[in-house]
Amino acid sequence: ITKHINLRKTPSLELATLLIFSFLPYFISESLDLSGIMAILFCGIVMSHYAHHNLSPVTQISVQQILRTVAFMAETCVFAYLGLSLFTRHLSLSLSLVAWSIVSIITKYLRTVHTYVCICTQALNGQLASLVTWPLGNALGNEG
């Protein structure tokens, strides 16, 4: 196609061709009962290396703005759907889930406090330098 048509002179045709070729692997893979998600993933990886750099500057800006807008709209729809579905489901409160959540939060907090107390204690005792350089071992000339 690109040998016979100069797409850089018509940015709208260049944009349409880019969009068609980005959706084409999905449609082909779904028609062959293959994974459409894997086709889109591979197409995105390949097109990220080649497509953007071969577009005209006008089309590059257009593609960036269009894809940012579409991504924003898709993200908004997903979060609105998730937020509204919260009120349509009957949620039951499990006491064991609440108890384990509180225990895990307290455990995480205590581990963080313990780590900072140990670091501050070693810093006050002057042992922090040896603690930080310990994984390097003999590379710094230390034995420890």
Side-chain angles (χ1 to χ4, degrees), residues 10-68:
T10 55
S12 59
L13 183 60
E14 191 176 18
L15 176 64
T17 306
L18 176 77
L19 293 177
I20 288 171
F21 279 112
S22 43
F23 283 110
L24 192 64
Y26 175 76
F27 294 133
I28 291 173
S29 66
E30 285 294 322
S31 66
L32 297 174
D33 291 330
L34 300 172
S35 175
I37 294 176
M38 291 303 294
I40 289 293
L41 177 69
F42 182 74
C43 178
I45 291 170
V46 171
M47 288 186 78
S48 70
H49 288 286
Y50 299 110
H52 184 73
H53 304 292
N54 292 323
L55 295 174
S56 64
V58 174
T59 309
Q60 285 180 356
I61 294 171
S62 299
V63 166
Q64 285 177 351
Q65 294 303 319
I66 288 171
L67 292 181
R68 282 182 187 163

Side-chain angles (χ1 to χ4, degrees), residues 53-130:
H53 304 292
N54 292 323
L55 295 174
S56 64
V58 174
T59 309
Q60 285 180 356
I61 294 171
S62 299
V63 166
Q64 285 177 351
Q65 294 303 319
I66 288 171
L67 292 181
R68 282 182 187 163
T69 304
V70 169
F72 177 75
M73 290 171 40
E75 185 178 335
T76 302
C77 290
V78 166
F79 284 115
Y81 179 74
L82 287 174
L84 292 174
S85 71
L86 181 67
F87 299 111
T88 60
R89 295 185 181 244
H90 183 292
L91 299 175
S92 61
L93 191 60
S94 172
L95 187 60
S96 63
L97 176 66
V98 172
W100 278 110
S101 299
I102 292 172
V103 167
S104 65
I105 290 170
I106 291 172
T107 304
K108 176 66 176 167
Y109 177 74
L110 291 176
R111 287 182 65 196
T112 304
V113 168
H114 180 262
T115 302
Y116 286 128
V117 166
C118 288
I119 289 175
C120 290
T121 304
Q122 289 178 353
L124 291 175
N125 292 338
Q127 299 171 350
L128 187 61
S130 63

